[in-house]
Amino acid sequence: METDNKRIIIFDDDEDILSICTYILQEQGWEVLTYTDANEVVERVSAFLPALIFMDN
Amino acid sequence: MPGAKILYIGFGELMNSIKDKLSVREGVEFREILQLSSDVHENLLADGDIFLIGPYTLEPVRQVQRATLQNSMISVILLIFPDHFQKVKQSVQFAYNISKHVTFVSYELGKDITVVLDNAILRSRQRKSFSRIAETEIYPKPASPNVTYKNLTAFLENTPIGAIIFDQQRNIVTANLKAKEFFAPKLALAIGMNWSDLFPDEQPAVVTLPPEAGREPVHEVIKVNNQFLEINISPLGVQDSKTYYLLLLNDITQKINAENKLQSKVDELEFLNQELDQFVNVISHDFKTPLTSIGLLAEMGIKERNPDKQVNFLKQIKASSNKLRDLLKGLNVLVDATKTKAEKIEPVNFNARFTLVMADYNQLLEKDGGIVNADFSQAPGMDYFTAHIDSLLSNLITNAIKYRNPDIPLVIEIKSRKEKEYTILSVKDNGSGIDLAKNMNKLFQPFKRLTDQGTGSGLGLSIVKRVIEKSQGYLEVFSQPGSGTEFKAYLKSQS
């Protein structure tokens, strides 16, 4: 993805999945925020301004 | 038997083409095809109905879930554009609360899907007839109008079905041995006796004779002396310029009893099957996540050169495998709680069980300042499984304590009362409450916890619900976020 914004938010109810995703993305130079609560995502998104939000249904 | 409905959600063009094709098809039962924009499930779906989801529908997973929740005895057909086929199919298959009767169709505009619909109609019909024993009965053919009663009398005397011949005034002309047996000892059949003496309790429709020879015979099932009798009335030929009527009586008590028994078994099996399906869905989803983690972590560990990081991966693998082990343990608890039908049924005194269960909580409640008020005066006890009452009380009290509102002192009200065939145990708290509109689906699923508040396996409510349902009861929940929760257990006395 050609962008200067290297921030990403991941939402999943499983902590393990979150930590694995974080690891992989951090290795690629992404700044990652993870949440298990959808409300928090909504609260944080305007301040963090991620390039991408990755949500589990 | 009314035909199955096809309920359609999606864009109009497809609906019209289906409607045209089906309406000219012979033997296809359909009452209506509805085109609805969003909320289809206003209690429209009945057993055996077909729910057709068009390719442009938003959130197909939710559509299927909501339809299934409303009635799991329906067939769902999901039309999906080829590009999205795998993705949508998988997301539906792995979702919760999905009916097992979902057909996925890769759909392109203009494709003829009547074959798919025909198959679904056929299957839903079979299911429907499974769920209700066929309502039609095969009745004996009407007697030939050329046969007269005099030459029938000798013939019928020793047949295993009852036979009575009436004249036009509905008086008995003759009756065979078997017919006499059906009415004995309450009534001794005799010549000249009137029809209405035989069936005093019956509806007028049954005692209406076919008006003249050659008309359609009458079929009914009636109850006499606790026997189910299938009766068939048909006109006989004219003799001495009078019309006579032949009434055949067949004892189908055993058949009806067997059907009822079979029906209740079928219902029970259907219920168990559904429960099992749902259970397997949930379990497989929950086991999949840590397994996926272990796989990914191992793969990353193999590629990683830095030994510190490798150790870190191994630690995470260990953590995931611990999680799997805990899940398995929880699964055993759940299966044990519902499979074994607790030791024995006995008179259970609610107050005694409550006092015993509370022993585990008194200290905790004293420390955090909470009170539990119990009032069992309306229904002090019942015949039930003691262990199940204990488990119900302790799980519901645990929940109330766990999900208390930290800003106010906890008050738990426990009450019992009787209502019809149920004894109701209710546990009400003033805790943080549950957003039921959002969480009803997850509330009773094993391993699901709705918030991060409190700890636990996420098994409590699922155990309570299963245990109650196992004994033909049910569990109700009333709650609003911020204003506490009330669980009402409708328990059926066991005998």
Side-chain angles (χ1 to χ4, degrees):
Chain A
M1 200 184 296
E2 289 299 320
T3 168
D4 292 338
N5 183 350
K6 298 281 269 182
R7 288 186 296 274
I8 204 162
I9 286 182
I10 311 176
F11 162 77
D12 195 291
D13 60 349
D14 190 87
E15 306 267 0
D16 293 346
I17 295 289
L18 289 178
S19 74
I20 293 169
C21 290
T22 306
Y23 173 84
I24 295 172
L25 289 163
Q26 278 175 349
E27 293 282 296
Q28 317 262 334
W30 290 83
E31 192 184 337
V32 183
L33 278 188
T34 61
Y35 296 102
T36 51
D37 181 348
N39 294 326
E40 281 182 78
V41 178
V42 178
E43 277 166 29
R44 282 306 309 271
V45 72
S46 57
F48 189 66
L49 289 177
L52 185 73
I53 303 177
F54 197 74
M55 293 188 92
D56 181 25
N57 182 13
Chain B
M1 205 189 286
K5 289 197 292 293
I6 298 176
L7 295 180
Y8 170 71
I9 179 168
F11 68 111
E13 249 171 80
L14 174 65
M15 183 192 77
N16 290 334
S17 77
I18 294 164
K19 205 171 177 177
D20 290 346
K21 279 182 180 135
L22 282 185
S23 50
V24 296
R25 201 159 281 248
E26 203 181 326
V28 169
E29 307 165 352
F30 84 79
R31 265 188 288 165
E32 50 192 316
I33 297 180
L34 299 179
Q35 189 201 4
L36 296 155
S37 49
S38 58
D39 274 4
V40 179
H41 317 294
E42 298 297 324
N43 292 323
L44 288 169
L45 296 163
D47 290 4
D49 279 356
I50 289 160
F51 183 41
L52 178 64
I53 303 176
Y56 284 123
T57 312
L58 291 173
E59 299 188 303
V61 177
R62 278 195 52 188
Q63 293 292 356
V64 181
Q65 281 174 329
R66 291 169 61 190
T68 309
L69 274 182
Q70 196 202 109
N71 189 337
S72 56
M73 294 288 293
I74 55 165
S75 290
V76 179
I77 302 175
L78 197 53
L79 304 179
I80 313 165
F81 287 135
D83 286 356
H84 304 129
F85 187 77
Q86 280 308 328
K87 207 177 67 193
V88 174
K89 184 176 175 182
Q90 274 174 12
S91 54
V92 171
Q93 280 175 331
F94 290 127
Y96 299 113
N97 291 325
I98 293 291
S99 155
K100 56 192 163 188
H101 313 299
V102 182
T103 310
F104 302 91
V105 179
S106 178
Y107 181 76
E108 279 166 74
L109 290 182
K111 180 174 175 176
D112 185 357
I113 59 155
T114 41
V115 177
V116 179
L117 278 173
D118 281 348
N119 282 339
I121 290 167
L122 190 73
R123 277 198 306 276
S124 70
R125 263 190 212 156
Q126 285 168 347
R127 215 164 26 251
K128 205 168 174 182
S129 57
F130 227 19
S131 72
R132 273 174 241 144
I133 288 275
E135 288 158 21
T136 50
E137 290 283 348
I138 297 159
Y139 291 97
K141 285 244 156 48
S144 158
N146 301 324
V147 179
T148 58
Y149 91 82
K150 277 185 180 151
N151 57 32
L152 256 186
T153 309
F155 177 70
L156 288 172
E157 185 55 26
N158 292 311
T159 55
I161 55 171
I164 305 173
I165 296 173
F166 294 92
D167 63 17
Q168 258 170 325
Q169 285 71 48
R170 303 177 185 186
N171 295 324
I172 295 179
V173 177
T174 180
N176 75 348
L177 264 177
K178 192 71 188 171
K180 288 172 188 159
E181 275 173 27
F182 281 138
F183 291 92
K186 267 193 171 168
L187 190 70
L189 286 195
I191 290 171
M193 202 174 255
N194 193 268
W195 174 278
S196 55
D197 301 328
L198 266 57
F199 309 113
D201 305 328
E202 287 305 321
Q203 299 294 318
V206 178
V207 293
T208 307
L209 286 174
E212 54 194 77
R215 283 280 182 92
E216 283 297 293
V218 171
H219 313 295
E220 294 283 341
V221 174
I222 56 168
K223 214 174 165 187
V224 173
N225 282 353
N226 285 323
Q227 304 161 102
F228 289 100
L229 301 182
E230 184 183 39
I231 66 171
N232 176 72
I233 307 155
S234 45
L236 285 176
V238 178
Q239 183 173 316
D240 313 331
S241 67
K242 284 183 198 158
T243 304
Y244 292 88
Y245 297 93
L246 170 65
L247 177 129
L248 295 174
L249 291 158
N250 200 6
D251 186 358
I252 53 165
T253 312
Q254 274 187 333
K255 188 177 157 218
I256 296 234
N257 287 344
E259 271 174 8
N260 288 343
K261 231 185 238 171
L262 185 68
Q263 184 56 44
S264 73
K265 281 281 168 217
V266 169
D267 290 347
E268 193 183 328
L269 281 177
E270 289 259 351
F271 175 77
L272 287 177
N273 256 339
Q274 276 174 26
E275 203 191 34
L276 187 68
D277 264 13
Q278 215 178 28
F279 190 64
V280 168
N281 264 340
V282 172
I283 300 298
S284 64
H285 176 274
D286 287 322
F287 277 70
K288 214 173 63 193
T289 317
L291 270 175
T292 312
S293 300
I294 291 174
L296 277 172
L297 287 162
E299 212 172 289
M300 282 153 56
I302 292 165
K303 285 187 191 145
E304 184 61 63
R305 292 288 163 86
N306 179 339
D308 286 348
K309 283 187 176 171
Q310 278 186 329
V311 169
N312 213 13
F313 286 138
L314 287 175
K315 279 183 184 160
Q316 288 192 49
I317 290 178
K318 175 81 182 118
S320 286
S321 74
N322 283 349
K323 197 181 274 178
L324 268 182
R325 192 198 52 207
D326 290 346
L327 277 175
L328 205 59
K329 233 192 249 170
L331 188 60
N332 282 335
V333 172
L334 186 65
V335 171
D336 284 350
T338 47
K339 205 174 79 184
T340 50
K341 246 214 165 184
E343 338 70 70
K344 64 176 196 295
I345 299 150
E346 54 195 350
V348 180
N349 180 299
F350 291 148
N351 201 39
R353 299 325 299 172
F354 168 71
T355 312
L356 213 85
V357 168
M358 278 309 289
D360 290 339
Y361 297 100
N362 282 333
Q363 222 177 353
L364 187 68
L365 284 169
E366 253 169 53
K367 200 181 98 213
D368 293 344
I371 47 166
V372 183
N373 298 321
D375 174 9
F376 301 114
S377 56
Q378 303 288 315
M382 69 187 298
D383 287 343
Y384 212 76
F385 305 101
T386 306
H388 287 180
I389 298 287
D390 289 358
S391 148
L392 189 160
L393 285 172
S394 95
N395 274 307
L396 292 181
I397 293 171
T398 305
N399 263 22
I401 295 175
K402 256 194 228 167
Y403 302 107
R404 60 189 301 167
N405 179 346
D407 302 330
I408 52 171
L410 172 67
V411 180
I412 307 176
E413 309 268 355
I414 304 180
K415 281 184 189 152
S416 66
R417 66 189 167 89
K418 286 204 70 102
E419 195 181 294
K420 292 181 192 153
E421 72 260 51
Y422 295 104
T423 300
I424 303 165
L425 260 184
S426 63
V427 177
K428 188 178 177 183
D429 65 45
N430 60 348
S432 43
I434 306 162
D435 185 349
L436 290 176
K438 231 171 85 186
N439 293 312
M440 198 59 186
N441 275 357
K442 287 199 222 158
L443 193 57
F444 298 107
Q445 277 182 13
F447 308 117
K448 288 279 168 263
R449 288 192 293 121
L450 301 183
T451 66
D452 293 330
Q453 194 185 349
T455 53
S457 59
L459 279 177
L461 281 183
S462 136
I463 289 180
V464 170
K465 184 168 182 277
R466 274 154 193 275
V467 156
I468 295 172
E469 285 175 359
K470 203 82 193 159
S471 306
Q472 297 84 48
Y474 60 96
L475 184 62
E476 274 186 357
V477 55
F478 304 90
S479 186
Q480 260 175 2
S483 57
T485 305
E486 180 174 19
F487 285 98
K488 284 185 180 174
Y490 287 71
L491 306 172
K492 219 167 184 181
S493 250
Q494 302 296 300
S495 50

